[in-house]
Amino acid sequence: FFFSNIFLNVAQASKQAYIVIKVNNKIITNINIEEEYKYLTALNPGLKTLKKEEALIIAKKSFLREKIKENELIKYYDLNQNNNEYLDQTFISLYQNLGLKNEIEFQKHLSNFDLTTEDIKKKLEIEILWNRFIYEKFNGQVEINMKELKKKVSTNKIQKNYLISEILLDISDSKNINEKYNLIKKSITEVGFK
């Protein structure tokens, strides 16, 4: 018992937390980044193909964006309400897109990453509320020519359902934009959008 406690304490000490960044008086630690990495790899197995350092950079940026969104959202919304029908539908779609049949299978999958369904629902709620916030803030500024859109859709034999996602990238020099664009296009062609 004595030796097992010593080994447990040594293992815990090797995983010391340190501050990575501070956002509006809230501290983000290396532990937060590791948890975000687990979250991202649980939902996107393709992330495991990256080097761990690259994936941790993505996790850091992802967690930072989430905290910025959350800080803005708490000014307008009451978070942690988890009783949203759209949240439930999004949650179900999420695990179905991973090829899992039900929430129990999803829980088992998440347990491999030390995550819970509540962890996922909290993140989904932030994303859903953020999308709602942006829509409410800017929907009056968007103009859609419905006639033109219907004409394009009816003349093209295209799928009627769309999955929209985003690719965020840092560009320090405007000359690199074409190079980055070509790399993204090549990756999507070879690996797929995931």
Side-chain angles (χ1 to χ4, degrees), residues 53-69:
E53 299 82 31
E54 293 172 346
L56 286 173
I57 290 169
I58 292 170
K60 177 182 173 185
K61 290 178 181 180
S62 173
F63 193 78
L64 179 61
R65 280 191 305 272
E66 179 183 305
K67 287 299 149 196
I68 291 169
K69 290 174 182 179

Side-chain angles (χ1 to χ4, degrees), residues 44-57:
N44 186 357
L47 196 61
K48 290 180 184 178
T49 62
L50 295 177
K51 293 180 184 174
K52 177 103 184 223
E53 299 82 31
E54 293 172 346
L56 286 173
I57 290 169

